[in-house]
Amino acid sequence: IQSWKGRLFGSLEGGGAERMGSSMSMNAEASSFSDAVKEVSKATDAAVENGMARESQARQVKTEWWNARPKDLPNPGSFDDIRNEVDGMLTPQQFFDGLQFKAFLAPSAVFNLGHGFDLGSKAIPNNYTLFTTYATQQLVMMSRLDLSGRVFGRIIYMHNPRTTSKVIADVGSEPNSSRATYEVEHRGLDYCSQLKLMSDQSVSLSYMQSITPTWSAGGEFAYIGQHSVSTTTLALKYQNETDNASMNVTPGLGMLMMGYVKRLNSASSLAADFMFNIFSRESISTFGYRYSLEKAMVTGTIDSTGKLSTLYEEKLSPGLSLLLSGEADYAKKDFKFGVGFNIGA
């Protein structure tokens, strides 16, 4: 679901500030999934990587890029995954306010059931959400149903270790609020290609290619059916054991996005993000950190508007987690605080 399409719509439909706001938000549906659902997606990606690793486990990656041959280069990952690491630390969806309670049950080895309650939030009304997950080595099905009757579902099917298909649907009771996407992704030893077909007659095609053992480049061409507009995004990525840097440029929309994550050690990481719109001359910078203890993790961010956010998660016991979230926007004089409990996660 995390796609450039949301950013493109924001740039096409809104003014400068609206374009920037849309570009700096992740897909809301993706953030609504529970931590358990995210782990299932990670496990699916890991299965793809493990299958490909069997084909190239005997190779030895050279450090000199001019000596690198195709079999020596790693898979760069998909275009959509370029900003996963920096977004995972800096995006506001992981922060919340009010009371949040989630409980997960596993009736069988392949089926997971979850219940979520959100109370007292300024951002969303009080709500109950039902999560279901069915996962095997080849097929993953996930769904979310809330009290408004909105259903969000995802099906992931692994045809082979290289090729994966995804069907994503978001069905609502309001007129023209439903949409669906079909994706097919193919991962070679040193490249990754992806095709997306949307229910609103939009289509996108992306490709990433490893150039050296640490550098990769690619791009995405997207056609927005509702507006009869096409746009191209170019991407560059650098990654090694401790650093992850990326840059996305969309000339037609005047957007520049740069992200960087530095892993200081196994317990701590730093992140920075910069976004600039050449048309509106607006920019925003965000800085963050993450520190992991034996049974706890702290994540914090601060941006150029003066907004501070902090999330603390602690494993109180096996299957029980406590979450504390705080956000202070001094410019708007808006302050939020949240307490959450996860059981069975």
PDB file of all heavy atoms in Angstrom, residues 126-140:
ATOM      1  N   ASN A 126     -13.803   7.215  18.852  1.00  0.00           N
ATOM      2  CA  ASN A 126     -13.723   5.933  19.542  1.00  0.00           C
ATOM      3  C   ASN A 126     -14.089   4.819  18.571  1.00  0.00           C
ATOM      4  O   ASN A 126     -15.070   4.919  17.826  1.00  0.00           O
ATOM      5  CB  ASN A 126     -14.665   5.913  20.741  1.00  0.00           C
ATOM      6  CG  ASN A 126     -14.279   6.951  21.792  1.00  0.00           C
ATOM      7  OD1 ASN A 126     -13.154   7.436  21.807  1.00  0.00           O
ATOM      8  ND2 ASN A 126     -15.208   7.299  22.657  1.00  0.00           N
ATOM      9  N   ASN A 127     -13.313   3.747  18.595  1.00  0.00           N
ATOM     10  CA  ASN A 127     -13.493   2.742  17.564  1.00  0.00           C
ATOM     11  C   ASN A 127     -13.071   1.369  18.069  1.00  0.00           C
ATOM     12  O   ASN A 127     -12.248   1.243  18.981  1.00  0.00           O
ATOM     13  CB  ASN A 127     -12.668   3.101  16.327  1.00  0.00           C
ATOM     14  CG  ASN A 127     -13.090   2.341  15.092  1.00  0.00           C
ATOM     15  OD1 ASN A 127     -14.190   1.798  15.026  1.00  0.00           O
ATOM     16  ND2 ASN A 127     -12.220   2.285  14.104  1.00  0.00           N
ATOM     17  N   TYR A 128     -13.665   0.352  17.457  1.00  0.00           N
ATOM     18  CA  TYR A 128     -13.276  -1.039  17.679  1.00  0.00           C
ATOM     19  C   TYR A 128     -12.860  -1.620  16.340  1.00  0.00           C
ATOM     20  O   TYR A 128     -13.507  -1.380  15.309  1.00  0.00           O
ATOM     21  CB  TYR A 128     -14.423  -1.867  18.254  1.00  0.00           C
ATOM     22  CG  TYR A 128     -14.206  -3.366  18.120  1.00  0.00           C
ATOM     23  CD1 TYR A 128     -13.353  -4.044  18.983  1.00  0.00           C
ATOM     24  CD2 TYR A 128     -14.830  -4.083  17.099  1.00  0.00           C
ATOM     25  CE1 TYR A 128     -13.125  -5.402  18.854  1.00  0.00           C
ATOM     26  CE2 TYR A 128     -14.622  -5.452  16.969  1.00  0.00           C
ATOM     27  CZ  TYR A 128     -13.769  -6.105  17.840  1.00  0.00           C
ATOM     28  OH  TYR A 128     -13.540  -7.453  17.708  1.00  0.00           O
ATOM     29  N   THR A 129     -11.780  -2.390  16.321  1.00  0.00           N
ATOM     30  CA  THR A 129     -11.262  -2.968  15.080  1.00  0.00           C
ATOM     31  C   THR A 129     -10.999  -4.447  15.267  1.00  0.00           C
ATOM     32  O   THR A 129     -10.436  -4.866  16.285  1.00  0.00           O
ATOM     33  CB  THR A 129      -9.953  -2.272  14.653  1.00  0.00           C
ATOM     34  OG1 THR A 129     -10.158  -0.864  14.576  1.00  0.00           O
ATOM     35  CG2 THR A 129      -9.497  -2.786  13.306  1.00  0.00           C
ATOM     36  N   LEU A 130     -11.429  -5.226  14.288  1.00  0.00           N
ATOM     37  CA  LEU A 130     -11.182  -6.662  14.280  1.00  0.00           C
ATOM     38  C   LEU A 130     -10.105  -6.966  13.249  1.00  0.00           C
ATOM     39  O   LEU A 130     -10.225  -6.603  12.077  1.00  0.00           O
ATOM     40  CB  LEU A 130     -12.462  -7.428  13.947  1.00  0.00           C
ATOM     41  CG  LEU A 130     -12.320  -8.947  13.761  1.00  0.00           C
ATOM     42  CD1 LEU A 130     -11.934  -9.617  15.082  1.00  0.00           C
ATOM     43  CD2 LEU A 130     -13.616  -9.551  13.218  1.00  0.00           C
ATOM     44  N   PHE A 131      -9.026  -7.639  13.683  1.00  0.00           N
ATOM     45  CA  PHE A 131      -7.936  -8.027  12.797  1.00  0.00           C
ATOM     46  C   PHE A 131      -7.943  -9.537  12.616  1.00  0.00           C
ATOM     47  O   PHE A 131      -8.132 -10.284  13.583  1.00  0.00           O
ATOM     48  CB  PHE A 131      -6.573  -7.626  13.383  1.00  0.00           C
ATOM     49  CG  PHE A 131      -6.434  -6.170  13.700  1.00  0.00           C
ATOM     50  CD1 PHE A 131      -6.682  -5.693  14.968  1.00  0.00           C
ATOM     51  CD2 PHE A 131      -6.032  -5.270  12.720  1.00  0.00           C
ATOM     52  CE1 PHE A 131      -6.538  -4.355  15.272  1.00  0.00           C
ATOM     53  CE2 PHE A 131      -5.890  -3.935  13.010  1.00  0.00           C
ATOM     54  CZ  PHE A 131      -6.144  -3.469  14.286  1.00  0.00           C
ATOM     55  N   THR A 132      -7.721  -9.989  11.399  1.00  0.00           N
ATOM     56  CA  THR A 132      -7.566 -11.423  11.133  1.00  0.00           C
ATOM     57  C   THR A 132      -6.378 -11.614  10.193  1.00  0.00           C
ATOM     58  O   THR A 132      -6.145 -10.805   9.288  1.00  0.00           O
ATOM     59  CB  THR A 132      -8.828 -12.037  10.495  1.00  0.00           C
ATOM     60  OG1 THR A 132      -9.121 -11.351   9.266  1.00  0.00           O
ATOM     61  CG2 THR A 132     -10.017 -11.927  11.436  1.00  0.00           C
ATOM     62  N   THR A 133      -5.639 -12.692  10.427  1.00  0.00           N
ATOM     63  CA  THR A 133      -4.481 -13.006   9.597  1.00  0.00           C
ATOM     64  C   THR A 133      -4.394 -14.511   9.381  1.00  0.00           C
ATOM     65  O   THR A 133      -4.500 -15.282  10.343  1.00  0.00           O
ATOM     66  CB  THR A 133      -3.171 -12.529  10.256  1.00  0.00           C
ATOM     67  OG1 THR A 133      -3.254 -11.143  10.528  1.00  0.00           O
ATOM     68  CG2 THR A 133      -1.983 -12.802   9.349  1.00  0.00           C
ATOM     69  N   TYR A 134      -4.235 -14.895   8.136  1.00  0.00           N
ATOM     70  CA  TYR A 134      -3.999 -16.293   7.783  1.00  0.00           C
ATOM     71  C   TYR A 134      -2.693 -16.329   7.008  1.00  0.00           C
ATOM     72  O   TYR A 134      -2.540 -15.630   5.998  1.00  0.00           O
ATOM     73  CB  TYR A 134      -5.137 -16.856   6.933  1.00  0.00           C
ATOM     74  CG  TYR A 134      -4.882 -18.257   6.415  1.00  0.00           C
ATOM     75  CD1 TYR A 134      -5.131 -19.371   7.204  1.00  0.00           C
ATOM     76  CD2 TYR A 134      -4.367 -18.451   5.131  1.00  0.00           C
ATOM     77  CE1 TYR A 134      -4.887 -20.655   6.733  1.00  0.00           C
ATOM     78  CE2 TYR A 134      -4.125 -19.729   4.644  1.00  0.00           C
ATOM     79  CZ  TYR A 134      -4.387 -20.826   5.453  1.00  0.00           C
ATOM     80  OH  TYR A 134      -4.134 -22.094   4.981  1.00  0.00           O
ATOM     81  N   ALA A 135      -1.729 -17.118   7.470  1.00  0.00           N
ATOM     82  CA  ALA A 135      -0.404 -17.086   6.850  1.00  0.00           C
ATOM     83  C   ALA A 135       0.189 -18.479   6.741  1.00  0.00           C
ATOM     84  O   ALA A 135       0.238 -19.228   7.720  1.00  0.00           O
ATOM     85  CB  ALA A 135       0.529 -16.189   7.660  1.00  0.00           C
ATOM     86  N   THR A 136       0.613 -18.809   5.537  1.00  0.00           N
ATOM     87  CA  THR A 136       1.398 -20.002   5.282  1.00  0.00           C
ATOM     88  C   THR A 136       2.681 -19.561   4.578  1.00  0.00           C
ATOM     89  O   THR A 136       2.904 -18.365   4.368  1.00  0.00           O
ATOM     90  CB  THR A 136       0.636 -21.006   4.411  1.00  0.00           C
ATOM     91  OG1 THR A 136       0.412 -20.421   3.110  1.00  0.00           O
ATOM     92  CG2 THR A 136      -0.709 -21.354   5.037  1.00  0.00           C
ATOM     93  N   GLN A 137       3.520 -20.502   4.206  1.00  0.00           N
ATOM     94  CA  GLN A 137       4.754 -20.140   3.525  1.00  0.00           C
ATOM     95  C   GLN A 137       4.513 -19.541   2.149  1.00  0.00           C
ATOM     96  O   GLN A 137       5.340 -18.788   1.650  1.00  0.00           O
ATOM     97  CB  GLN A 137       5.663 -21.369   3.403  1.00  0.00           C
ATOM     98  CG  GLN A 137       6.209 -21.868   4.727  1.00  0.00           C
ATOM     99  CD  GLN A 137       7.178 -23.021   4.551  1.00  0.00           C
ATOM    100  OE1 GLN A 137       7.309 -23.576   3.468  1.00  0.00           O
ATOM    101  NE2 GLN A 137       7.874 -23.365   5.621  1.00  0.00           N
ATOM    102  N   GLN A 138       3.378 -19.843   1.537  1.00  0.00           N
ATOM    103  CA  GLN A 138       3.108 -19.373   0.182  1.00  0.00           C
ATOM    104  C   GLN A 138       2.001 -18.327   0.116  1.00  0.00           C
ATOM    105  O   GLN A 138       1.993 -17.491  -0.791  1.00  0.00           O
ATOM    106  CB  GLN A 138       2.736 -20.552  -0.721  1.00  0.00           C
ATOM    107  CG  GLN A 138       2.682 -20.220  -2.203  1.00  0.00           C
ATOM    108  CD  GLN A 138       2.455 -21.462  -3.045  1.00  0.00           C
ATOM    109  OE1 GLN A 138       1.914 -22.462  -2.578  1.00  0.00           O
ATOM    110  NE2 GLN A 138       2.885 -21.422  -4.303  1.00  0.00           N
ATOM    111  N   LEU A 139       1.080 -18.320   1.069  1.00  0.00           N
ATOM    112  CA  LEU A 139      -0.085 -17.448   1.014  1.00  0.00           C
ATOM    113  C   LEU A 139      -0.269 -16.720   2.340  1.00  0.00           C
ATOM    114  O   LEU A 139      -0.172 -17.315   3.414  1.00  0.00           O
ATOM    115  CB  LEU A 139      -1.345 -18.267   0.701  1.00  0.00           C
ATOM    116  CG  LEU A 139      -2.677 -17.527   0.726  1.00  0.00           C
ATOM    117  CD1 LEU A 139      -2.739 -16.491  -0.402  1.00  0.00           C
ATOM    118  CD2 LEU A 139      -3.843 -18.512   0.616  1.00  0.00           C
ATOM    119  N   VAL A 140      -0.531 -15.412   2.249  1.00  0.00           N
ATOM    120  CA  VAL A 140      -0.835 -14.590   3.424  1.00  0.00           C
ATOM    121  C   VAL A 140      -2.094 -13.787   3.121  1.00  0.00           C
ATOM    122  O   VAL A 140      -2.189 -13.132   2.070  1.00  0.00           O
ATOM    123  CB  VAL A 140       0.321 -13.633   3.771  1.00  0.00           C
ATOM    124  CG1 VAL A 140      -0.059 -12.737   4.947  1.00  0.00           C
ATOM    125  CG2 VAL A 140       1.582 -14.414   4.096  1.00  0.00           C
TER     126      VAL A 140
END
